[in-house]
């Protein structure tokens, strides 16, 4: 396999700095790979809101600089570092997700909670990500892509899909239970609805507007509640769930109000799963009612290697389909602009041209 010396990539040199599209960004050569590393030829990469946060330096964590962002990459292994022990081989189709590596040896890793490993390494944040044609990643955390799954579909599943699938797994629900998805028409929410429906839950969608109502109903929502036109959102949610409230609520929207409402409308023994990240926000739980109604509040942060494989399997079986728009790699700056203005619907997947 011939590996070029240079490639196309989108980089930024400083936090909040401009995005620069380069066609002469160096490609790490096979001989330069360390044990445990693989070089992946990336054909497609989804764009996640986290990538925009990384560019803007929104979080109390420093990114590597200069940085190639991106963590929903799909491609083929073209080289593996000498001295690597792995079942993966050159030619395998793989995905690069947010969690590029973790130690696999600490307590949280042994329990399958890899995302919270204190040695976790994130793609497009601590190491160069997938907005380039050739990315170096850690072979033990690469996700095999099922045969026949369109790379355009696989991209968004590697982050958005894994995140909501994991959230649903943590919702403490059984088939036939009601699960409310807040932000159901968005990039995360529209996937959450489909995973929930696929495992026999009864999804209640909360979002706004006719377009999103139509989309949510098509994707398996049992009822749609418009938070803008509803006179009493909590009463409408209870009315949609036999008067008792849903068994769980997955908050995929970045709304602090959505979190605090959930603590009131949830059914007794209900679970609030926190996913969306409103800035500087708090969940204010009344201690008496939390105890007396036996409520659970769970934070859910991406997923582990197994969650990624499961999430992709639903997509490969046609149970979950991301709403995507494909654009060229060099259009990333415009994509971010659209995300900031809120004009992007569904997920954007970049074609690298590799
Ligand atoms: Zn992401
Ligand atoms: Zn670990």
């Amino acid at each position: 396999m011939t590996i070029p010396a240079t490639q196309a990539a989108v980089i930024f040199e400083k936090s909040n700095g401009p995005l620069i599209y380069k066609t002469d960004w160096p490609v790490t050569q096979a001989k330069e790979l360390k044990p445990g590393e693989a070089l992946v030829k990336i054909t497609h990469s989804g764009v996640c809101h986290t990538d925009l946060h990384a560019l803007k330096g929104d979080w109390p964590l420093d990114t590597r600089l200069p940085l190639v962002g991106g963590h929903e990459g799909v491609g083929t292994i073209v080289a593996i570092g000498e001295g690597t022990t792995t079942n993966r081989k050159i030619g395998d189709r793989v995905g690069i997700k947010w969690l590029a590596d973790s130690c696999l040896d600490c307590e949280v890793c042994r329990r399958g909670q890899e995302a919270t490993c204190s040695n976790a390494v994130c793609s497009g944040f601590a190491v160069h990500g997938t907005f380039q044609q050739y990315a170096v990643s850690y072979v033990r955390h690469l996700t095999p892509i099922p045969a026949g799954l369109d790379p355009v579909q696989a991209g968004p599943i590697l982050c958005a899909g894994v995140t909501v699938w994991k959230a649903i797994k943590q919702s403490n629900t059984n088939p036939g239970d009601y699960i409310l998805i807040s932000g159901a028409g968005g990039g995360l929410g529209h996937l959450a609805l489909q995973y929930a429906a696929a495992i026999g839950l009864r999804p209640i969608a909360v979002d706004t507007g006719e377009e999103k109502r139509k989309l949510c109903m098509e994707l398996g929502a049992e009822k749609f509640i418009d938070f803008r036109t509803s006179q009493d959102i909590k009463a409408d949610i209870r009315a949609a769930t036999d008067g008792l409230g849903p068994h769980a609520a997955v908050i995929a929207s970045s709304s602090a109000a959505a979190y605090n409402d959930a603590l009131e409308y949830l059914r007794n023994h209900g679970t609030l799963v926190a996913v969306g990240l409103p800035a500087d926000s708090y969940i204010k739980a009344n201690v008496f009612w939390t105890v007396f109604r036996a409520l659970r509040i769970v934070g859910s942060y991406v997923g582990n290697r197994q969650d990624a494989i499961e999430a992709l399997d639903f997509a490969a079986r046609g149970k979950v389909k991301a709403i995507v728009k494909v654009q060229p790699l060099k259009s990333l700056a415009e994509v971010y602009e659209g995300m900031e203005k809120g004009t992007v619907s569904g997920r954007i997947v970049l074609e690298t041209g590799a």
Side-chain angles (χ1 to χ4, degrees):
M1 203 144 334
T2 47
I3 296 165
T6 58
Q7 58 167 329
V10 181
I11 68 155
F12 59 92
E13 286 169 343
K14 54 180 202 285
S15 195
N16 232 342
L19 285 179
I20 308 160
Y21 176 71
K22 289 189 176 247
T23 52
D24 59 352
W25 187 249
V27 176
T28 302
Q29 298 297 301
K31 279 183 299 201
E32 299 171 89
L33 294 171
K34 297 185 194 83
E37 290 180 344
L39 184 67
V40 180
K41 181 180 178 178
I42 304 285
T43 59
H44 297 82
S45 178
V47 185
C48 176
H49 249 100
T50 297
D51 297 314
L52 182 55
H53 289 301
L55 167 66
K56 296 182 74 183
D58 282 342
W59 292 346
L61 302 164
D62 287 327
T63 63
R64 168 193 185 139
L65 288 172
L67 181 73
V68 176
H71 59 274
E72 291 185 348
V74 183
T76 308
I77 297 178
V78 292
I80 294 175
E82 217 179 288
T84 303
T85 307
T86 179
N87 291 329
R88 301 276 100 76
K89 51 192 190 309
I90 289 171
D92 282 1
R93 272 211 323 159
V94 291
I96 296 178
K97 55 187 170 46
W98 173 242
L99 196 62
D101 200 27
S102 71
C103 79
L104 300 185
D105 196 34
C106 69
E107 184 185 334
V108 292
C109 280
R110 290 195 306 269
R111 289 175 186 260
Q113 299 153 350
E114 298 151 13
T116 55
C117 172
S118 54
N119 292 308
V121 176
C122 297
S123 299
F125 201 86
V127 294
H128 290 318
T130 56
F131 297 148
Q132 57 181 341
Q133 293 174 314
Y134 290 85
V136 176
S137 202
Y138 301 90
V139 76
R140 62 189 180 183
H141 266 276
L142 293 174
T143 308
I145 305 289
L149 179 60
D150 180 353
V152 170
Q153 280 295 316
I157 301 298
L158 285 163
C159 187
V162 174
T163 297
V164 297
W165 170 235
K166 181 67 163 190
I168 290 168
K169 283 174 77 175
Q170 304 205 79
S171 68
N172 200 31
T173 47
N174 291 306
D177 286 355
Y178 290 108
I179 187 163
L180 182 134
I181 311 293
S182 165
L188 289 169
H190 87 288
L191 293 171
L193 274 183
Q194 297 174 72
Y195 281 107
I199 61 167
L201 294 168
R202 301 175 69 178
I204 305 296
V206 174
D207 214 314
T208 188
E210 180 51 28
E211 203 181 313
K212 289 192 168 170
R213 189 197 67 78
K214 228 178 122 229
L215 174 70
C216 291
M217 296 310 286
E218 276 167 18
L219 296 180
E222 197 166 300
K223 291 208 175 83
F224 179 88
I225 296 162
D226 191 320
F227 67 80
R228 277 219 176 95
T229 57
S230 168
Q231 300 295 313
D232 183 343
I233 180 101
K234 287 170 264 183
D236 287 349
I237 289 168
R238 275 189 220 103
T241 50
D242 305 334
L244 298 171
H247 298 82
V250 172
I251 310 300
S253 56
S254 314
S255 155
Y259 278 100
N260 290 303
D261 284 353
L263 292 171
E264 292 184 47
Y265 64 63
L266 274 171
R267 188 172 292 222
N268 290 349
H269 285 271
T271 303
L272 166 60
V273 189
V275 177
L277 295 172
D280 301 322
S281 299
Y282 292 85
I283 300 171
K284 282 191 188 150
N286 177 287
V287 174
F288 177 82
W289 289 113
T290 303
V291 173
F292 211 69
R293 304 214 301 114
L295 298 175
R296 292 158 29 102
I297 300 171
V298 180
S300 191
Y301 169 46
V302 290
N304 63 21
R305 293 166 299 157
Q306 176 64 17
D307 299 319
I309 286 169
E310 291 168 5
L312 284 165
D313 183 61
F314 280 91
R317 288 185 288 120
K319 301 288 181 192
V320 171
K321 201 163 189 283
I323 309 276
V324 293
K325 193 170 156 222
V326 181
Q327 290 189 205
L329 178 62
K330 64 174 173 226
S331 70
L332 182 59
E334 292 153 44
V335 174
Y336 282 159
E337 232 171 84
M339 281 168 125
E340 286 200 277
K341 285 190 201 142
T343 54
V344 173
S345 58
R347 301 287 283 192
I348 303 289
V349 174
L350 302 177
E351 229 166 18
T352 69

